[in-house]
Amino acid sequence: MSTNRQFFINCLIAGTVDFIFGNSAAVFQDCDIHARRPNSGQKNMVTAQGRNDPNQNTGIVIQKSRIGATSDLRHVQRSFPTYLGRPWKEYSRTVIMQSVISDVIHPAGWHEWSGNFALSTLFHGEYQNSGAGAGTSNRVKWKGFKVITSATEAQAFTPDRFIAGATKHQTVAFRSGTDMSVYYQCVFDAFQDTLNAHSSRLFRQDCDITGTIDFIFGNADVVFQSCNIQPRQTLANQFNTINAQGKKDPNQNTGISIHKCAFLLWIPTFKPCKPCADAIQRAWQILDQIPGRATGAYSHSQVHMMMQLLIRSEKDGILCPIPQYPLYSASIALHGGSLVPYYLDEATGWGLEISELKKQLEDAKSKGITVRALVVINPGNPTGQVLAEDNQRAIVEFCKQEGLVLLADEKKFHSFKKISRSMGYGEEDICLVSFQSVSKGYYGECGKRGGYMEVTGFSPEVREQIYKVASVNLCSNISGQILASLVMSPPKVGDESYESYSAEKNRILSSLARRAKTLEDAFNSLEGVTCNKAEGAMYLFPCIRLPQKAIKAAEAAKKAPDAFYCQRLLNATGVVVVPGSGFGQVPGTWHFRCTILPQEDKIPAIVSRLTEFHKSFMAEFHD
């Protein structure tokens, strides 16, 4: 940040040495600022401000932000001291105010540049910060360091006072003048004067550009190719002009060229796309297969229907995993059956042990219960584990030997049907009902209602009746039908859309894997918490060993201990997790389910909040 006035809101900034530096007037508000693991022997410095004249109105202000550490530093932070900043120039000015500072920051807070340089002429201030690293009792004793206690003095460092000022200037969202620079798949979203193509030769391809008056302007030699250009609503009595080119000499080889671009209506939540020919053809094929092209609506799960057919009385039982998504236990209770629980083994990564199935089956028989079916959820919900192929084979063999219906809540690529066929069992050899929903995969958002149920192993007469009952309530919404068809028949090699489909698929799965690993490592670093990895679902299900004081406080509040923890977490951080008591768990153990779905750039902030809360909670209820 070399010059002028700059304002950063809701940004994620990570680095090691002096990773926020310069001599502009800059305010960082509601940002997540994280130190990373530096090279061996280095110390982290969040800021290095470069004011070299006491009359300059420059400085760095970090307000209402969160200062923490990335996962690679958190486990070794004692080996790499991290400081709020150091003075780059003689009159360095940096203020940290109303922010959450984690314990990654050294108690001294600040570090010298070289010896006594600038220690009496700098201004480094802190005001109303919180968090484990916000204490000022052990801060540096420099003449230039100050703990600000006056709200009036602190007001001078707020955005409207520090960078706004009384004089209004042109605000440009992005200015470029580097020769032969290329911008690919970028988004430039602002109002007047969005994009200043200032000078030199520039190329922008597949970009989204939004603005009002002269929102593409300047005197560069610039080409826009295959971009989406979107005029947005102006202020009253204004009108949009897309470009304002600034060539002032006929001999200049400058100008604006807009090539193969789309001029679109700006809609706040709409991100333009260019559908491929095969995608358009696929949409028409789907519509042509829907009678009357009706959109329909979503009905209740076919799980309920299968339970209704299987359960005759309370003497009929269904083997269900614990922990499990409560749809199954609720459906069994609704139809008057008996839940026969089998516990997944947390010590082996939530494995399904055949010995446990046999034990629970025999126990049910001793109580006069006839077990009719086995429910398998793969990948697990809430546990996120994926069954090994050998495990799936053993489950198929178990159901065959015991004459059980296998109810497989599964993803297409973990199919029990495929496993049973590979074992030599044919269409009529084992009763299998497979439930597949698009909400389980990367094809659609969670809760997107669409999918299929496949029934095999039943006689043709029984299967016909099952489908007839299912069809009574079958009325999926149109988006669900489209997504289900894509799950069954995605773009293939050679299709125009295959390359973009494959790239998006890999990008999503890679991002989910990184998010899962970051959260898994974070949970395993917390006192009293252990967490298995998520192998194929969007969940983690960490186990938390709560202090007795916390358990007693939960009892006094008439809550399950894990629900008590989750409620406190929500109130303190705004982070929502689901208590394990809602899914079932081994008695005396406590868990919570955490999704890995927040945007990847938000995960470090979530980890920081979780970590700070957990440390505070465990300290409060320490035995």
Side-chain angles (χ1 to χ4, degrees):
M1 309 171 300
S2 60
T3 58
N4 300 322
R5 295 174 289 180
Q6 303 181 26
F7 192 21
F8 300 83
I9 305 177
N10 195 23
C11 298
L12 172 63
I13 305 162
T16 56
V17 183
D18 304 336
F19 61 95
I20 299 175
F21 76 102
N23 191 28
S24 65
V27 174
F28 297 81
Q29 190 180 80
D30 192 24
C31 293
D32 291 290
I33 300 170
H34 295 280
R36 310 178 68 145
R37 179 172 178 165
N39 293 329
S40 178
Q42 288 187 325
K43 300 180 178 67
N44 283 326
M45 307 293 165
V46 176
T47 67
Q49 208 281 324
R51 191 169 69 142
N52 51 25
D53 184 326
N55 297 311
Q56 290 178 322
N57 60 348
T58 57
I60 295 172
V61 176
I62 298 175
Q63 183 193 26
K64 296 180 180 179
S65 295
R66 294 156 296 278
I67 301 174
T70 56
S71 58
D72 63 337
L73 173 63
R74 194 173 299 112
H75 304 306
V76 292
Q77 65 186 45
R78 295 182 184 276
S79 302
F80 299 94
T82 298
Y83 298 86
L84 293 171
R86 59 178 178 169
W88 182 26
K89 300 297 180 180
E90 188 174 2
Y91 297 96
S92 172
R93 179 163 62 171
T94 303
V95 175
I96 316 293
M97 56 190 293
Q98 299 165 315
S99 295
V100 178
I101 303 175
S102 80
D103 62 358
V104 71
I105 296 300
H106 191 281
W110 307 85
H111 198 277
E112 69 276 1
W113 182 270
S114 177
N116 293 324
F117 171 75
L119 301 187
S120 61
T121 53
L122 60 78
F123 182 84
H124 287 180
E126 297 182 49
Y127 175 68
Q128 288 189 353
N129 296 308
S130 60
T136 57
S137 59
N138 293 316
R139 287 293 195 251
V140 293
K141 307 304 180 185
W142 304 338
K143 181 180 178 180
F145 171 71
K146 182 177 184 179
V147 177
I148 300 172
T149 57
S150 165
T152 302
E153 183 178 0
Q155 186 69 27
F157 298 101
T158 57
D160 60 331
R161 296 281 296 277
F162 192 65
I163 58 176
T167 304
K168 294 183 178 180
H169 295 276
Q170 180 190 44
T171 300
V172 176
F174 192 84
R175 169 176 163 164
S176 55
T178 303
D179 191 34
M180 299 184 69
S181 59
V182 176
Y183 301 85
Y184 177 63
Q185 291 188 345
C186 299
V187 177
F188 304 94
D189 185 10
F191 292 86
Q192 182 172 349
D193 302 334
T194 299
L195 194 53
N196 182 359
H198 182 263
S199 58
S200 303
R201 293 169 291 179
L202 313 172
F203 184 50
R204 292 182 172 85
Q205 186 179 57
D206 286 342
C207 295
D208 293 329
I209 307 163
T210 305
T212 56
I213 302 171
D214 304 338
F215 63 93
I216 298 174
F217 75 104
N219 194 27
D221 180 11
V222 58
V223 175
F224 296 86
Q225 188 178 80
S226 301
C227 295
N228 294 311
I229 298 173
Q230 298 174 273
R232 67 194 303 164
Q233 184 175 349
T234 63
L235 299 176
N237 301 318
Q238 290 184 336
F239 57 89
N240 285 318
T241 49
I242 291 174
N243 76 80
Q245 207 281 327
K247 184 175 178 179
K248 53 189 177 182
D249 185 328
N251 297 314
Q252 288 179 320
N253 60 345
T254 58
I256 296 173
S257 173
I258 298 176
H259 180 227
K260 292 184 179 179
C261 292
F263 293 88
L264 302 169
L265 174 67
W266 176 79
I267 302 174
T269 58
F270 173 68
K271 181 172 178 58
C273 62
K274 306 178 183 69
C276 298
D278 65 299
I280 296 172
Q281 181 62 32
R282 188 188 303 271
W284 281 114
Q285 289 173 351
I286 293 168
L287 284 173
D288 288 340
Q289 293 169 8
I290 302 171
R293 294 181 177 173
T295 57
Y298 174 67
S299 62
H300 64 273
S301 169
Q302 298 308 312
V303 170
H304 290 305
M305 184 270 297
M306 286 306 305
M307 294 301 178
Q308 184 181 22
L309 294 175
L310 288 166
I311 295 171
R312 299 163 297 187
S313 71
E314 70 277 2
K315 292 299 183 179
D316 286 328
I318 308 293
L319 275 162
C320 273
I322 299 296
Q324 53 94 18
Y325 180 61
L327 166 66
Y328 291 92
S329 54
S331 185
I332 293 167
L334 176 66
H335 296 293
S338 294
L339 172 70
V340 181
Y342 65 88
Y343 289 96
L344 301 176
D345 186 1
E346 186 170 7
T348 60
W350 299 110
L352 193 164
E353 302 294 334
I354 300 300
S355 59
E356 171 70 4
L357 293 179
K358 292 179 177 178
K359 173 186 172 184
Q360 297 301 335
L361 179 64
E362 293 304 316
D363 184 62
K365 289 179 179 178
S366 70
K367 297 175 183 176
I369 295 172
T370 301
V371 177
R372 306 291 305 281
L374 167 66
V375 173
V376 177
I377 305 174
N378 187 40
N381 181 0
T383 56
Q385 96 287 358
V386 174
L387 297 175
E389 187 173 318
D390 288 345
N391 204 182
Q392 287 184 276
R393 291 175 181 274
I395 292 166
V396 169
E397 195 62 43
F398 173 77
C399 289
K400 175 64 177 175
Q401 292 176 358
E402 301 295 341
L404 302 180
V405 176
L406 176 54
L407 302 176
D409 187 334
E410 60 185 352
K411 288 185 178 178
K412 176 184 174 186
F413 44 84
H414 298 298
S415 168
F416 271 94
K417 179 181 176 181
K418 180 180 179 181
I419 293 293
S420 64
R421 297 297 179 268
S422 72
M423 296 171 66
Y425 291 127
E427 184 74 17
E428 305 300 329
D429 291 331
I430 182 170
C431 294
L432 169 64
V433 182
S434 177
F435 304 103
Q436 165 68 41
S437 168
V438 298
S439 67
K440 297 180 198 171
Y442 51 85
Y443 295 95
E445 297 176 356
C446 281
K448 185 66 73 174
R449 300 305 180 184
Y452 65 84
M453 177 183 74
E454 184 179 16
V455 178
T456 59
F458 295 84
S459 68
E461 295 80 13
V462 172
R463 186 163 53 194
E464 181 182 355
Q465 294 304 314
I466 291 173
Y467 283 132
K468 185 180 292 185
V469 174
S471 298
V472 170
N473 293 312
L474 189 62
C475 196
S476 179
N477 57 67
I478 187 67
S479 61
Q481 295 175 53
I482 292 171
L483 284 169
S485 73
L486 288 171
V487 171
M488 298 302 296
S489 180
K492 300 174 178 60
V493 176
D495 289 345
E496 184 183 350
S497 65
Y498 177 78
E499 186 176 342
S500 60
Y501 158 76
S502 181
E504 183 176 9
K505 169 186 170 182
N506 293 334
R507 177 181 59 80
I508 292 172
L509 291 176
S510 297
S511 176
L512 288 172
R514 290 192 298 269
R515 286 180 256 181
K517 179 61 175 172
T518 298
L519 286 166
E520 175 197 337
D521 290 345
F523 286 134
N524 283 320
S525 72
L526 299 179
E527 177 188 357
V529 178
T530 56
C531 183
N532 287 315
K533 68 178 181 179
E535 296 176 326
M538 63 198 79
Y539 311 114
L540 291 166
F541 198 58
C543 177
I544 177 170
R545 294 180 292 279
L546 294 168
Q548 284 299 313
K549 286 183 181 179
I551 294 173
K552 290 179 180 178
E555 292 172 352
K558 297 182 179 179
K559 293 181 181 293
D562 48 9
F564 177 74
Y565 178 91
C566 294
Q567 183 69 57
R568 290 285 296 267
L569 174 65
L570 173 63
N571 293 341
T573 67
V575 175
V576 180
V577 296
V578 183
S581 49
F583 301 97
Q585 51 198 344
V586 173
T589 66
W590 310 108
H591 301 77
F592 58 85
R593 187 184 77 173
C594 173
T595 180
I596 62 170
L597 291 178
Q599 298 96 322
E600 188 171 0
D601 62 352
K602 301 293 184 185
I603 295 293
I606 294 171
V607 168
S608 178
R609 295 181 190 184
L610 279 168
T611 302
E612 291 300 317
F613 164 79
H614 186 79
K615 289 179 179 179
S616 175
F617 182 92
M618 297 300 278
E620 179 181 351
F621 294 102
H622 183 70
D623 291 330

